Amino acid sequence: MSQKQSALGPKPHESAHKHVAGAADYLDDINEPAGTLHAYIGLSTIAAGTIEGVDFTDVLAHPDVLGVLTATDIPGENDVSPTALHDDPIFADKEVQFLGQPVFAVIATHRDAARRAAKKAKISYQEKPALIDIRAAEKAGGKFVTPSLTLKNGDVKAAMEKAPMRLKGEMEIGGQDHFYLEGHIAMAIPGEDDTVKVISSTQHPSEVQHMVAHALGTHQHAVNVEVRRMGGGFGGKETQGALFACVAAIAAKKYKRAVKIRPDRDDDMVMTGKRHDFLATYEVGFDESGKIHALDADFAARCGFSADLSGPVTDRALFHADNCYFFENVELRSRPLKTNTVSNTAFRGFGGPQGMIGGERVIEEIAYQLGKDPLEVRRANFYGPNTGNTTPYHQIVDDNIITKVVDELEESADYQARRQKVLDFNKSHKNLKRGIALTPVKFGISFTATWYNQAGALVHIYKDGSILLNHGGTEMGQGLYSKVAQVLADELQVDPARVKVSATRTDKVPNTSATAASSGTDLNGMAAADAARQLKARLVRFAADKFQIEEADVKFGYEHLDCAGKQVPFEELIAAAYMERVHLSAAGFYKTPEIHWNRETGRGTPFYYYAYGAAVSEVVIDTLTGEYFVDRVDLLHDVGNSINEGIDMGQVEGGFIQGMGWLTTEELWFSDKGELKTHAPSTYKIPLASDRPRTFNTKLVTWSKNEKRTIKRSKAVGEPPFMLAISVLEALSMAVASVADYKTCPRLDAPATPERILMAVERLKGQR
């Protein structure tokens, strides 16, 4: 009998040993071709105005400088916008729209010369008033970078008027820098005619290919983009890498030599987009049980000078403002505001975290108004299994497991007893105060731009039995290559050691979607499985013909084929198939079914399914200084039938810590002139090892299997855990609220830095 063996499970990351040993090759580790030149970008020093003149005399006189690129040197289109608006120039030509905007690039024989020379340009400007933040943009008339979206259901006005209780509020939600360990970098190698090879640290190779082709004035078939791995991305390399790839490619074709570009960390942070900061304003009508009758809310975002991905980001904020809650009467509006700051972009969660935390603030407000545990208000508003399950965008939540997830975590984390201990502690301690919160997460999985929900894979089986896999996803440390290789090995019933994943290349798998929206494994895993099934079908036909048996009598077993009782080792089978001229290569493809979205009507089914989770966080604050620490965190997260539990656990824990950083320590400060002051590790605080919870308990839901036909019935894990960190902010809020006997919602803005906590404590003390 044929015996199968699963290739799935908690196997090590395919590059883990190289990461630990420092042997993993990132782009900057690749040997440079002889004669490689280096580019460095010169940035504007004002936030708004026109360029009156540029003097490059000192730049060109600098040792080892070959020349300067400006907008006039671009043979094709001066644009790297991912939209049809063409509003994001490679180099500012006449108009400057943010402080740090690229104006030119210096080309030199080595990087240091290019970097130093770039500082010597003399640019004269006619400066104009700049709009730096959301409130200033609103006051100036609120110009949008892209059309806004409205989601509505029911009759908000009538329900609000009838609601027994009402309240209004607002919340400032800060942005976040991606702070990938490997900054932006690209190298371009010119080929014959109009061809060029670009090695880029990007999450979206096909978009880089598209942008480079447009900048060079050629077609995409002339541009080959390659990505082996990135040292982190988090969305910051979805669109932002195109600028650097284009500069390198333009210079490479002009000078007919390889060109490499890598900005310093400071310049990288200044010139690349970040998580959008939001201002959420809301009015909610509710009753004495905490049940919400009506919600009316605006989500205004600082988008920067161009659209970039602000349209879908602000859309997705609205998609997640409901989180796990049914709003029978609701109207949500986005306000994607144009400002004279760097154009903000994708970041883990893609607007979802900002929308979700706004919705959770509404829950928190109601709880303090009623004197209830916020968990009680959450339960009163959870989506139902059969009724009360329509979202503001009219998708039916038909896979709802949040009540069971919350029940399990509430019991395993001993939430109720611990909450009582927190209340008792706060009664007996004057300066130290504790807080605890249990918050849920429901996160939609799929690109809301429906056409991105597709993927391809190319699988070769060589005559020695080794297997090479290429797919359209990119590896940024999250373990995508590992998971898709495991999927392929499981489909072919071979040892995963047989499978090598090659660098992502646009000349192997065309028209790739970005590795984003938590969809990497869902899409590329399915494409690889499709290729495997094609190969299996050919091998079964070959074996049936060779051994003169029925195809039904041929079964794949682990590392062999069972042919009516005769076991043929995999390597022997492949060698024989090659000799008989069986095609041992297949291109797989997958597109997500059942999804559609009509933005004009605000209706559709934009998500194939939802991922769920819940977190309990307990904190301690010092009311004299505002300092705090996270004492204990318990996470329970739903990944369906996990493909690799070890990698999934890493994503859950890492996502939570990154989310905690967004909500507590990471703060973007722009001066009145639009200068980013938090532009380096010295001024921008990501979480340290010492910031991790003192006790950190993480579990995956063991009973969940995705009801949808996803790869191996798994669920996406990249983005959803990020929002589990909302529990930390709410726990801090409870600790602050204790100084006024929990009678007032502290309305902590994010990030809840020690300064903000101290100010909130003093404010509540004054009210008391």
Side-chain angles (χ1 to χ4, degrees), residues 254-284:
K254 178 175 180 177
Y255 291 95
K256 303 188 188 313
R257 291 163 69 176
V259 175
K260 186 173 175 180
I261 182 169
R262 175 174 62 82
D264 286 348
R265 173 69 66 177
D266 299 66
D267 288 338
D268 189 315
M269 291 182 72
V270 166
M271 66 197 292
T272 61
K274 316 189 182 310
R275 181 184 295 281
H276 294 67
D277 41 345
F278 274 65
L279 175 63
T281 56
Y282 48 86
E283 181 177 11
V284 59

Side-chain angles (χ1 to χ4, degrees), residues 40-45 51 53-62 65 68-70 103-106 113-125:
Y40 206 87
I41 296 176
L43 309 179
S44 70
T45 55
I51 298 172
V54 185
D55 183 354
F56 290 125
T57 303
D58 292 343
V59 176
L60 296 171
H62 191 88
V65 169
V68 173
L69 296 181
T70 66
V103 178
F104 62 92
V106 179
R115 184 178 65 85
R116 291 180 184 276
K119 305 295 183 184
K120 294 185 175 183
K122 296 181 176 68
I123 306 176
S124 57
Y125 303 99

